[in-house]
Amino acid sequence: MGYDLQMKVWRGDATGGELVDYTVPVEEGEVVLDALHRIQATQSGDLAVRWNCKAGKCGSCSTEINGKPRLACMTRLSTFEDGETVTVTPLRAFPVIRDLVTDVSYNYKVAETIPAFAPEPRPADGAYRMQQVDVERGQEFRKCIECFLCQTVCHVIRDHEENKPQFSGPRFFLRYAELEMHPLDTNDRRQLAREQAGIGLCNITKCCTEVCPEGIHITDNAIIPMKERVVDRSFDPVTWLGRKIFRRDQLEEAQVPQSRAE
């Protein structure tokens, strides 16, 4: 059964904009993206909205709907009360290009700074071996569709543009955790997570977990374990002593050939 939906959609560009009122005929079972497409088709053909799969797997249609970061293609109109106005605005943490389309290139720049997966050399028989529990731990992290809803909801950068150079955000703490927990990876990214990614700025409010459309437990399974690993490396007295001894042994080994030559 069809009905008229009242909507407010942000229209504008980097120089500014405003909410524009629309009355949109919709059908039962439709989602917010359907309503936006109908606005494009019947009222405002120049409305800019980013989308691709319409199946909740590409992360393209990320917007803020009634103040909450959501995927437009996965937000059913039945979510809202009868007569409730649906307000759609662009992602708040990123610069607006036009209407509902934002510039999320910040995220790709951050991704380039994370050292890639570096597996240990293959064993003689050529087969890597992992425990099933290690496989399962990383599977959750790889469900990420890079919608960047967790990035835009994170208060560290949502209202503080100045924090972006020293704060990677939840999506990339997830990536750090995925790589650090991989049993075959040889890179140690803990110091980078602390000094470059700014994981210490996160105060684990779990807002990123709440908006994740894939249901990834970002805070509990990625950020908190990474914080623990960073603390172990930087502040644990036993680990600190081990590093001191290891470095001392390396220096002594480097000095042995020189002594023999003399």
Side-chain angles (χ1 to χ4, degrees):
M1 181 177 178
Y3 62 96
D4 286 341
L5 176 70
Q6 301 301 315
M7 296 189 72
K8 290 180 179 290
V9 181
W10 197 90
R11 304 295 310 274
D13 54 28
T15 62
E18 62 181 358
L19 289 171
V20 177
D21 292 321
Y22 292 98
T23 300
V24 190
V26 296
E27 299 293 332
E28 186 176 352
E30 290 189 322
V31 296
V32 171
L33 186 59
D34 291 318
L36 293 173
H37 283 169
R38 195 156 290 125
I39 291 174
Q40 283 182 322
T42 62
Q43 300 182 50
S44 297
D46 61 343
L47 173 64
V49 55
R50 184 181 281 137
W51 71 284
N52 187 18
C53 74
K54 204 181 177 186
K57 292 301 177 184
C58 73
S60 299
C61 63
S62 299
T63 55
E64 302 207 2
I65 301 171
N66 285 8
K68 182 177 180 179
R70 300 172 182 259
L71 293 180
C73 72
M74 299 300 288
T75 306
R76 291 194 175 276
L77 297 177
S78 58
T79 303
F80 309 102
E81 299 291 336
D82 292 341
E84 182 178 358
T85 299
V86 176
T87 303
V88 187
T89 56
L91 297 180
R92 182 166 155 183
F94 305 112
V96 173
I97 297 176
R98 202 180 107 199
D99 298 340
L100 302 178
V101 178
T102 53
D103 180 2
V104 295
S105 59
Y106 153 79
N107 298 287
Y108 304 120
K109 293 175 182 176
V110 172
E112 292 175 351
T113 67
I114 302 175
F117 174 64
E120 59 191 22
R122 286 186 180 273
D125 62 3
Y128 285 124
R129 292 174 176 80
M130 296 170 57
Q131 295 292 327
Q132 185 61 32
V133 65
D134 292 323
V135 175
E136 293 170 354
R137 183 184 295 120
Q139 290 286 56
E140 179 187 17
F141 304 150
R142 286 188 283 276
K143 286 164 43 181
C144 175
I145 60 174
E146 294 202 323
C147 60
F148 303 128
L149 295 182
C150 62
Q151 295 286 86
T152 194
V153 79
C154 179
H155 65 277
V156 177
I157 55 177
R158 185 174 176 85
D159 296 310
H160 301 280
E161 183 73 18
E162 69 276 10
N163 285 339
K164 284 185 177 179
Q166 62 264 12
F167 187 77
S168 296
R171 189 278 169 267
F172 298 103
F173 298 150
L174 189 75
R175 177 61 175 160
Y176 273 101
E178 175 189 344
L179 293 168
E180 279 298 302
M181 295 180 188
H182 199 295
L184 300 180
D185 186 67
T186 57
N187 277 332
D188 185 348
R189 303 170 185 80
R190 290 174 296 177
Q191 186 170 354
L192 284 177
R194 178 190 174 199
E195 297 178 356
Q196 176 179 288
I199 195 170
L201 293 175
C202 170
N203 58 8
I204 55 175
T205 59
K206 295 192 178 184
C207 52
C208 52
T209 299
E210 291 175 3
V211 300
C212 179
E214 286 295 317
I216 303 172
H217 294 85
I218 303 172
T219 308
D220 291 339
N221 294 350
I223 296 179
I224 292 176
M226 270 307 299
K227 279 177 168 281
E228 290 171 347
R229 290 172 181 239
V230 167
V231 168
D232 283 346
R233 186 189 188 282
S234 302
F235 303 107
D236 183 78
V238 176
T239 305
W240 175 84
L241 182 60
R243 286 201 308 271
K244 293 282 285 186
I245 294 172
F246 180 69
R247 279 200 296 264
R248 186 192 64 190
D249 291 344
Q250 283 185 318
L251 288 173
E252 290 176 352
E253 288 176 5
Q255 292 171 358
V256 168
Q258 183 179 357
S259 300
R260 288 176 180 172
E262 292 173 354

